[in-house]
């Protein structure tokens, strides 16, 4: 009962803070709803960089993969997340000022490649955010079961809380609640990792109690290829639409870079702690279900009261990513898809209303698409298969100053998609590398070739 009370108080506090922020500074335009005036403090911006990315995949999903394959996956995640944010801080953040005033990733692609770039990015954003939200709802369902709530109702209660404050208050409510969510996530990580290691007797005893292949880096050739591929994917600045949106919130490049560096350190720390929790579950209950690795540690290692704090932190992880994804997808659907395709733009007040309605509608759709037997990591990795082969390369090159023509954009995206399908059907059995990597390289090769031909012919983007 005490644990349930702690979690309910946590949800009420988040909802109250989110609504209070929206009441104090209410968004009246889509720009205010999306950017909040770009006057966020470093604490708020660093928190929202961290919280938006560290959802179910980095907590329950990371523990599940550690349970299933061993120390390699948490190591790959921790290194990849840190390198990705540091590269974004060094090379991407200083160049974002050119796109000040853009509301979304699709807005940037529209400036770079015209309407086709904006609409295609908007559609991809909606697809990515739906998949990501579904992953968070799966994780929320597992957490709800710890409190005696059914999988579906756990997901519904979490998403309902998110929708209430994010659709009303916009990015200000989302960003401020992320500060509290960051604190609770780190507390949960410390509790789970600390009490778990204490139960098994420390790191050395933990490694001796798990199978040898789980304590070894790359025990097989297939594992080597798979995890090297994941390390490459995770280490690149993924530039997902929610992350690009966070970059647009910064006052300038210096603030964005500083907050990304702070986020990198925090991501690395939490990833190591959640991976360790998965190994603790393996040592204590090797026959249990991998997806329930972290819930097992919560249920059987933590005492009453602290269990509620840990559950609140895990709920924060899922909800902080949900609010970011839903907020981004609602803006993308209205501003990047519907807006450019309409002959007559909606009035400003209607555009904001439509964004709120779209956010609620997408939340309902994500709940409908969620199944209790879905693997969290597999859902997240699908986002890489959507984004990397088609839109990542032209976005990255455009931000770095290599702006191609619409022909280069479309040629690269089509080539990347075709390469992804070809690799998935044929070469993956020979070289077990994720198809998104060769597909992204193919996109870059074709984009660069068309860009070079256009420059030689004197054509401009």
């Amino acid at each position: 009962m005490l644990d349930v009370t702690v979690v309910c108080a946590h949800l009420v506090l988040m909802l109250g803070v989110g609504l209070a922020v929206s009441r104090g500074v209410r968004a009246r335009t889509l720009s205010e709803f999306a950017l909040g005036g770009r006057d966020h403090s470093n604490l708020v911006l660093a928190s929202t960089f961290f919280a938006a990315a560290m959802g179910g995949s980095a907590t329950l999903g990371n523990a599940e993969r550690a349970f299933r394959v061993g120390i390699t996956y948490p190591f790959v995640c921790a290194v990849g997340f840190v390198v990705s944010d540091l590269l974004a801080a060094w090379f991407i953040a200083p160049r974002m000022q050119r796109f000040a005033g853009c509301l979304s990733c699709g807005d940037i692609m529209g400036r770079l490649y015209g309407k086709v770039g904006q609409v295609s990015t908007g559609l991809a954003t909606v697809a990515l955010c739906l998949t990501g939200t579904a992953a968070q709802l799966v994780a929320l369902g597992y957490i709800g079961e710890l409190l005696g709530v059914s999988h579906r109702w756990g997901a519904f209660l979490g998403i309902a809380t998110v929708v209430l404050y994010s659709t009303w208050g916009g990015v200000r409510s989302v960003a401020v609640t992320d500060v509290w969510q960051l604190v609770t996530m780190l507390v949960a990580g410390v509790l789970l990792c600390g009490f778990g290691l204490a139960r098994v007797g420390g790191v050395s005893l933990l490694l001796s109690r798990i199978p040898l292949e789980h304590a070894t880096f790359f025990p097989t050739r297939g594992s080597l290829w798979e995890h090297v591929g994941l390390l490459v994917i995770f280490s690149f600045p993924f530039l997902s639409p929610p992350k690009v949106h966070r970059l647009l919130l910064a006052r300038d490049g210096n603030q964005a870079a500083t907050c990304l560096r702070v986020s990198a350190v925090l991501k690395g720390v939490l990833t190591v702690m959640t991976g360790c929790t998965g190994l603790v579950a393996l040592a204590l209950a090797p026959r249990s279900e991998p997806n329930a690795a972290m819930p097992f540690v919560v249920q059987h290692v933590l005492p009453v009261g602290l269990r509620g704090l840990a559950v609140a932190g895990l709920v924060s992880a899922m909800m902080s990513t949900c609010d970011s994804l839903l907020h981004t997808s609602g803006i993308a659907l209205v501003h990047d898809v519907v807006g450019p395709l309409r002959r007559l733009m909606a009035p400003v007040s209607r555009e904001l209303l439509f964004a709120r309605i779209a956010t609620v509608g997408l939340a309902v759709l994500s709940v409908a698409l969620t199944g209790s037997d879905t693997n969290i990591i597999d859902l997240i990795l699908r986002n890489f298969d959507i984004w990397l082969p088609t839109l990542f390369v032209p976005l990255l090159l455009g931000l770095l100053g290599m702006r191609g023509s619409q022909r280069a954009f479309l040629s690269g995206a089509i080539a990347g998609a075709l390469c992804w399908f070809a690799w998935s059907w044929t070469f993956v059995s020979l070289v077990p590398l994720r198809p998104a990597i060769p597909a992204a390289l193919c996109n870059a090769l074709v984009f660069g070739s068309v860009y070079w031909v256009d420059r030689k012919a004197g054509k401009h983007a």
Side-chain angles (χ1 to χ4, degrees):
M1 185 64 183
L2 177 60
D3 294 327
V4 175
T5 302
V6 171
V7 176
C8 290
H10 168 69
L11 292 175
V12 171
L13 177 62
M14 278 202 300
L15 180 59
V17 169
L19 293 178
V21 171
S22 66
R23 185 177 180 182
V25 188
R26 185 178 177 184
R28 291 177 172 80
T29 65
L30 186 62
S31 177
E32 293 176 356
F33 182 79
L35 303 179
R38 300 179 68 207
D39 58 353
H40 310 282
S41 68
N42 284 359
L43 173 62
V44 170
L45 191 60
S47 298
T48 198
F49 269 123
F50 171 84
M54 302 304 285
S57 63
T59 50
L60 270 73
N62 189 33
E64 177 265 326
R65 284 300 160 102
F67 186 103
R68 195 185 296 272
V69 305
I71 63 175
T72 308
Y73 186 84
F75 172 80
V76 165
C77 280
V79 173
F81 290 163
V82 171
V83 171
S84 174
D85 273 3
L86 291 180
L87 288 176
W90 289 330
F91 298 107
I92 305 300
R95 293 171 168 82
M96 290 300 297
Q97 198 60 32
R98 293 187 296 129
F99 302 97
C102 288
L103 305 188
S104 63
C105 186
D107 236 356
I108 293 175
M109 292 291 276
R111 287 195 186 183
L112 293 171
Y113 306 108
K115 183 185 291 188
V116 65
Q118 183 171 8
V119 173
S120 58
T121 303
L123 291 172
T125 298
V126 173
L128 261 68
C129 291
L130 280 176
T131 304
T133 303
Q136 309 315 311
L137 296 182
V138 171
L140 276 172
Y142 284 120
I143 297 302
E145 290 175 354
L146 290 174
L147 304 174
V149 180
S150 69
H151 196 282
R152 181 70 62 158
W153 273 104
F156 174 77
L157 291 174
I159 199 70
T161 305
V162 167
V163 167
L164 282 173
Y165 69 75
S166 63
T167 56
W168 187 254
V171 75
R172 285 191 180 275
S173 294
V174 171
V176 171
T177 54
D178 281 346
V179 177
W180 172 246
Q181 289 163 342
L182 178 149
V183 173
T184 55
M185 276 190 273
L186 293 177
V187 169
V190 170
L191 289 175
L192 290 167
C193 184
F195 276 82
L197 287 175
R199 173 66 67 87
V200 299
V203 175
S204 58
L205 284 178
L206 170 64
L207 295 177
S208 68
R209 292 179 63 174
I210 62 177
L212 179 61
E213 62 270 18
H214 282 67
T216 305
F217 284 102
F218 314 127
T220 65
R221 177 176 176 273
S223 174
L224 172 64
W225 279 104
E226 178 186 0
H227 288 98
V228 167
L230 287 175
L231 180 60
V232 172
I233 289 177
F234 291 158
S235 296
F236 267 93
F238 184 48
L239 295 180
S240 64
K243 187 164 189 174
V244 172
H245 180 251
R246 288 325 188 243
L247 288 167
L248 292 171
L249 297 180
R251 291 189 300 272
D252 51 43
N254 289 333
Q255 186 190 29
T258 299
C259 295
L260 279 168
R261 294 187 189 102
V262 174
S263 172
V265 174
L266 295 176
K267 286 180 183 179
V269 170
L270 185 63
T271 302
V272 170
M273 290 191 294
T274 55
C276 182
T277 303
L279 296 177
V280 168
L282 177 64
L284 295 176
R287 297 182 181 276
S288 61
E289 171 62 33
N291 281 327
M294 185 169 284
F296 172 86
V297 176
V298 173
Q299 190 70 37
H300 295 90
V301 173
L302 295 181
V304 175
L306 293 183
R307 188 183 304 155
L309 285 177
V311 171
L314 296 178
V315 168
S316 289
M318 281 47 113
M319 293 180 64
S320 63
T321 303
C322 275
D323 59 28
S324 171
L325 292 169
L326 290 174
H327 183 255
T328 302
S329 62
I331 295 168
L333 183 59
V334 172
H335 186 68
D336 298 326
V337 179
V338 177
L341 295 179
R342 286 174 58 94
R343 292 188 176 183
L344 297 175
M345 294 298 295
V348 172
S349 58
R350 289 288 183 87
E351 195 177 31
L352 176 57
L353 174 62
F354 293 159
R356 285 176 166 145
I357 294 173
T359 303
V360 175
L362 292 169
V364 173
L365 181 57
S366 65
V367 172
L369 294 174
T370 302
S372 60
D373 58 344
T374 308
N375 185 275
I376 300 168
I377 294 295
D378 289 341
L379 276 172
I380 294 299
L381 290 178
R382 289 178 195 173
N383 285 351
F384 291 100
D385 292 332
I386 296 172
W387 192 250
L388 287 181
T390 55
L391 297 170
F392 168 73
V393 170
L395 173 61
L396 176 63
L397 294 178
L399 291 176
L400 294 177
M402 186 177 169
R403 177 190 175 191
S405 62
Q406 283 193 8
R407 184 173 69 153
F409 166 74
L410 290 173
S411 299
I414 293 171
L418 292 176
C419 180
W420 185 91
F421 283 110
W423 192 277
S424 300
W425 291 340
T426 56
F427 300 109
V428 72
S429 59
L430 302 175
V431 181
L433 190 66
R434 292 201 67 84
I437 297 176
L441 293 175
C442 179
N443 186 327
L445 178 63
V446 173
F447 182 96
S449 299
V450 177
Y451 176 84
W452 181 80
V453 170
D454 287 343
R455 289 287 297 268
K456 292 286 286 186
K459 296 180 180 179
H460 300 283

